[in-house]
Amino acid sequence: MQDKNCDIVIIGGGPVGMALALALRGSCLTVMLLEARGLPEKVGDERPLALSHGSYLILQRLGVWDKLRRHTSIKTIHISNKGFFGRTVLTAEDAGVPALGYVVNYHDLYHALYDATLENGIQYQIGATVKAFATDQLSGHVQYAHEDIENNMSAKLLVLADGGHLGGQIADIAFQTQAYEQWAIVANVKAETPQTGIAYERFTSDGPVALLPSGSDFALVWTTSPETANTILALDEKYFLHRLHAHFGDRLGRFIAAGKRAGFPLSLKYAIPPTSQRIALIGNAAQTLHPVAGQGFNLGLRDAYELAQVLLAAVSDNREIGTPSMLARYSQLRRIDGQGGRIFTDSLIKLFSNDNTLLKHLCGMGLIVLDNCPPMKRFVSRRMIFGARG
Ligand SMILES: Cc1cc2nc3c(=O)[nH]c(=O)nc-3n(C[C@H](O)[C@H](O)[C@H](O)COP(=O)(O)OP(=O)(O)OC[C@H]3O[C@@H](n4cnc5c(N)ncnc54)[C@H](O)[C@@H]3O)c2cc1C
């Protein structure tokens, strides 16, 4: 069978893959998105995503922000260390932005991006599962199944945005992996005290627990060991709410209702380097992080946006896309941001989620120092908002 041809095949039409396709809209590049899932209506993933102000600006530029059904502003982030002194409060005012971030859920974001791809006439094939791919010096070749029919496609550049499934097929990319032995439980919860724009990040020896403002309630991300997660997921609502109250403390009063719960195993995994011959990795395919401090999608969105800028620059200079020098440029552009996101989230987990009392006291002191040093707070906030390059 003869290959179909285009300039770029994006493998994985999740949020990051769709963002890349949208960032290339209006250019002369022909782009094909291949997505394994079926109808987007069936994407019922309720995980909350805290989008930074920087991501808000990118999604606005991509024409996606106004399509989001719901989003809730984070005006303040309250960080504490359970059982120890010390806390830090970061505010939007200190960081010089209207909001530190916005809470949306994965499902709504997926839909908003999908609607924007339809509106912009982007070629998006759903139910198309990529089985294998290979590259040579001039192009990449993809084999995928669609409605039980095998198809082949070739492009000058393959972009892997599959959330981290197929990267192992690339011989010269190594993956660093570390399982955190933690799961994240997510659910919407209602507390006696309604949300007031404050996101709570509370570190405990088991792992961080976050309560993010969402509508008038909260979106919970509770990390704990896999065994405890299984127990918590199986509790009936009344015991679940009691257990959450005992774990989080009394700052918001009792918890009075909870929506559907879901659990996610957590690990750190990243590609070295995030490129190979005629291939670039973006989003979770390039790095999967712990959800503490909500960095994963924000980082992936910047991967997509910056790759698009490198591609558009090549087109406007009449240079070929997907060449070693273009890919080296992308890799170099993303190095500091990618490393920064990984080191930041991994260090938070190592420092705060342990039973070492001395270390916990030191972390508490660190929070006090940060709280009393406005320039440092501004530095931390701006890196959380705009990435390691601030
Ligand atoms: C509990 C939790 C909370 C989180 N909170 C935050 C947060 O607050 N802020 C934040 O920024 N990030 C957060 N994240 C991280 C965020 O969810 C991810 O970084 C983001 O979803 C990555 O998007 P992606 O498009 O790269 O990958 P995915 O969302 O995994 O999408 C990959 C897509 O590729 C498709 N695919 C896979 N294999 C194939 C194949 N063979 N062929 C074709 N298509 C394929 C999949 O169907 C999917 O649609 C959180 C993660 C978790 C688990």
Side-chain angles (χ1 to χ4, degrees):
M1 191 193 304
Q2 231 199 342
D3 283 15
K4 286 178 249 170
N5 266 298
C6 66
D7 292 318
I8 300 169
V9 172
I10 304 174
I11 302 171
V16 171
M18 284 192 275
L20 173 63
L22 283 166
L24 295 171
R25 72 197 189 286
S27 73
C28 60
L29 293 169
T30 50
V31 178
M32 171 58 103
L33 259 170
L34 298 175
E35 167 53 44
R37 289 193 261 212
L39 286 176
E41 284 70 25
K42 291 192 180 148
V43 178
D45 189 329
E46 283 295 327
R47 90 181 78 157
L49 297 177
L51 303 186
S52 67
H53 183 70
S55 293
Y56 153 80
L57 294 174
I58 295 179
L59 291 172
Q60 260 202 338
R61 264 177 234 161
L62 301 184
V64 174
W65 189 257
D66 292 339
K67 297 189 185 325
L68 270 167
R69 278 178 274 203
R70 289 167 292 185
H71 48 79
T72 310
S73 307
I74 302 175
K75 299 285 184 193
T76 302
I77 301 178
H78 183 285
I79 308 165
S80 60
N81 196 5
K82 189 180 177 191
F84 291 85
F85 274 119
R87 60 122 177 87
T88 287
V89 176
L90 305 174
T91 65
E93 210 179 5
D94 290 343
V97 288
L100 286 169
Y102 303 86
V103 181
V104 303
N105 73 35
Y106 185 97
H107 178 83
D108 286 349
L109 179 67
Y110 195 97
H111 276 258
L113 283 155
Y114 183 71
D115 290 348
T117 60
L118 288 187
E119 204 173 281
N120 284 282
I122 287 165
Q123 293 195 74
Y124 186 160
Q125 184 129 49
I126 54 173
T129 305
V130 173
K131 305 282 186 197
F133 57 87
T135 62
D136 54 42
Q137 276 185 359
L138 297 177
S139 49
H141 313 275
V142 175
Q143 252 177 44
Y144 67 96
H146 183 242
E147 294 172 348
D148 295 329
I149 297 170
E150 292 294 324
N151 294 270
N152 295 311
M153 223 169 164
S154 294
K156 290 185 192 122
L157 176 68
L158 305 183
V159 179
L160 201 56
D162 67 336
H165 299 277
L166 295 171
Q169 291 191 15
I170 310 168
D172 57 353
I173 294 187
F175 283 90
Q176 284 285 346
T177 311
Q178 183 195 323
Y180 281 116
E181 304 300 335
Q182 284 183 353
W183 275 53
I185 299 166
V186 304
N188 282 310
V189 292
K190 188 185 256 321
E192 277 178 329
T193 313
Q195 69 86 3
T196 51
I198 304 175
Y200 296 91
E201 184 84 65
R202 189 153 173 73
F203 290 98
T204 79
S205 320
D206 284 358
V209 54
L211 280 161
L212 311 172
S214 177
S216 55
D217 302 322
F218 292 91
L220 168 72
V221 184
W222 179 353
T223 47
T224 185
S225 68
E227 304 76 46
T228 311
N230 275 325
T231 311
I232 291 171
L233 285 166
L235 290 175
D236 72 18
E237 186 175 330
K238 184 174 147 210
Y239 288 105
F240 171 71
L241 295 170
H242 275 307
R243 186 130 176 193
L244 176 60
H245 185 217
H247 189 63
F248 179 75
D250 211 30
R251 198 175 291 279
L252 299 169
R254 286 181 311 119
F255 293 101
I256 49 186
K260 199 173 110 200
R261 277 164 261 163
F264 297 83
L266 304 178
S267 59
L268 170 68
K269 183 177 169 193
Y270 57 95
I272 313 171
T275 55
S276 175
Q277 178 175 261
R278 298 276 163 188
I279 300 181
L281 274 57
I282 59 173
N284 272 27
Q287 67 270 312
T288 303
L289 309 181
H290 193 288
V292 65
Q295 296 292 300
F297 173 71
N298 293 305
L299 195 55
L301 185 61
R302 295 195 292 275
D303 288 346
Y305 195 73
E306 293 206 359
L307 177 58
Q309 301 319 302
V310 173
L311 286 162
L312 295 173
V315 170
S316 87
D317 295 348
N318 277 325
R319 281 181 283 120
E320 192 191 337
I321 63 158
T323 58
S325 62
M326 195 223 89
L327 290 167
R329 168 98 187 107
Y330 165 69
S331 199
Q332 185 220 344
L333 263 180
R334 298 305 301 143
R335 198 169 54 85
I336 292 176
D337 199 13
Q339 265 177 10
R342 284 194 312 265
I343 294 170
F344 179 53
T345 52
D346 193 44
S347 310
L348 283 177
I349 293 307
K350 295 213 166 102
L351 286 171
F352 283 94
S353 299
N354 63 69
D355 292 320
N356 183 324
T357 313
L358 178 64
L359 197 56
K360 299 279 270 185
H361 278 298
L362 287 175
C363 288
M365 274 161 59
L367 289 178
I368 296 171
V369 171
L370 180 61
D371 202 43
N372 286 291
C373 182
M376 218 151 103
K377 280 211 264 190
R378 192 177 162 84
F379 178 87
V380 171
S381 303
R382 291 194 74 84
R383 259 113 207 115
M384 281 171 73
I385 293 169
F386 297 114
R389 285 185 283 151

